[in-house]
Amino acid sequence: MHGLDMSVLLHRALEARVARLSELAARDGWEEDPEALRQVRIASRRARAALGLVRQDCYPDLRRHRRTLRRLTRALGLTRDLDARIAFLAGLAGRIPGMATGAALEHLLEGLGRSRSRAAARMGRDLPRKGLRRLPELLEVPSLPDPFAPSSLAGDAWTALDPMLEAAFSPLPGLRGREDAGAMHRVRIRFKRARYALEVLAPAWAAPPEAALAGLKALQGALGAHHDLATLEAALQSEHEGLAGRGRATLAKGLLEVLACVGEARLDAFGRFLAAEAALPFPPLRAALRAGLDLPPEETP
């Protein structure tokens, strides 16, 4: 439960994010432009972050709009993942010597191009176009709480944010000594939620919490790069086994060089994650965010 100031802050954040998403999704051809598609997916996540913080009793049909945003994010997922794989492998073309490696990259990019076309067709069928057009209805008649419960904007913001930060940071000690792709992916989702929530709540701070946002973005970015590369590596290993099993020795040999590059990039992403985690220790971050809200330091047990 939160009061008037928090309700107004969240409504303004929701207005801005729904407007941004509607603007991006109204542009012609965005589904075929990898960068535009990525921006729409990010905008959908940011709108979901704001919608996840508002009071459920303030907005009509809240669950329907949440379903629309969730369907949009999911519909774009596979196409975006394939775009990331294509971009990485295309960047390797010409950088790795050898005819076999060049042939393997051509083979991979052709296959990914076909997969991307199929995924885009499926995405086009799955997009909640009617729901997207109706999103602005969410903002027409907000029912702000009345009578207004007395509350502190700083306290409301901290109450909303703190559990997300705790959920994101608590698994990190267990990831320092070993590279666990599945666990890192789960933590990445938590950091994304915490970062987007902090973006929504940022007006509650007297000065924008830019250092905290930059640190969370660095951690999320390293975790995201690691996830993309780990999933690409697994797909390439499966492809290599298939080529070798079908007697395609030249392509299989060339693919080994590609796999080595992907593995090296994955390890680099893991190193960037460790560096970003070391640069953002949780207790000082938490203390700085509380101080920025003019909240008293918490008593240590």
Side-chain angles (χ1 to χ4, degrees), residues 183-235:
M184 290 173 68
H185 175 53
R186 291 188 290 273
V187 169
R188 167 196 173 221
I189 293 171
R190 295 182 181 186
F191 270 103
K192 189 177 296 186
R193 289 173 178 163
R195 174 194 160 199
Y196 288 162
L198 182 55
E199 288 179 348
V200 169
L201 298 168
W205 275 258
E210 293 178 356
L213 284 168
L216 292 174
K217 183 177 181 180
L219 263 169
Q220 177 196 329
L223 288 164
H226 185 275
H227 172 69
D228 288 346
L229 291 161
T231 55
L232 173 58
E233 188 175 28

Side-chain angles (χ1 to χ4, degrees), residues 1 4 12 18 27 31 42 75 81 83-84 97 105 153 212 216 276:
M1 185 68 65
L4 175 61
R12 288 174 177 169
V18 168
R27 295 177 181 174
E31 301 98 324
I42 290 172
D81 290 344
D83 284 337
L105 280 169
L153 175 59
L216 292 174

Side-chain angles (χ1 to χ4, degrees), residues 100-248:
T101 304
L105 280 169
E106 275 190 13
H107 169 77
L108 291 170
L109 288 169
E110 286 176 356
L112 285 170
R114 291 191 295 270
S115 296
R116 207 273 183 195
S117 296
R118 291 192 295 269
R122 186 160 58 250
M123 176 186 73
R125 295 192 297 269
D126 292 343
L127 284 177
R129 300 182 189 277
K130 183 177 179 181
L132 281 173
R133 289 193 296 270
R134 297 184 64 175
L135 271 182
E137 297 175 6
L138 180 70
L139 307 172
E140 289 176 1
V141 208
S143 175
L144 295 180
D146 184 17
F148 299 119
S151 66
S152 153
L153 175 59
D156 286 342
W158 185 249
T159 298
L161 179 65
D162 189 36
M164 296 186 189
L165 292 173
E166 181 67 36
F169 277 91
S170 58
L172 291 188
L175 298 177
R176 292 171 188 156
R178 63 189 182 96
E179 188 183 3
D180 183 332
M184 290 173 68
H185 175 53
R186 291 188 290 273
V187 169
R188 167 196 173 221
I189 293 171
R190 295 182 181 186
F191 270 103
K192 189 177 296 186
R193 289 173 178 163
R195 174 194 160 199
Y196 288 162
L198 182 55
E199 288 179 348
V200 169
L201 298 168
W205 275 258
E210 293 178 356
L213 284 168
L216 292 174
K217 183 177 181 180
L219 263 169
Q220 177 196 329
L223 288 164
H226 185 275
H227 172 69
D228 288 346
L229 291 161
T231 55
L232 173 58
E233 188 175 28
L236 293 184
Q237 286 171 342
S238 178
E239 180 71 13
H240 178 266
E241 291 171 5
L243 289 171
R246 297 195 301 273
R248 306 294 297 276

Side-chain angles (χ1 to χ4, degrees), residues 57-75:
D57 58 338
C58 295
Y59 294 87
D61 296 327
L62 183 66
R63 290 183 178 178
R64 174 167 59 83
H65 294 300
R66 281 180 172 166
R67 285 196 299 270
T68 293
L69 291 171
R70 186 166 57 250
R71 281 184 57 200
L72 174 61
T73 305
R74 289 178 176 174

Side-chain angles (χ1 to χ4, degrees), residues 274-294:
L274 293 177
E277 192 265 341
L280 195 69
F282 185 39
L285 170 71
R286 199 166 178 273
L289 285 171
R290 284 185 62 86
L293 289 170
D294 203 25

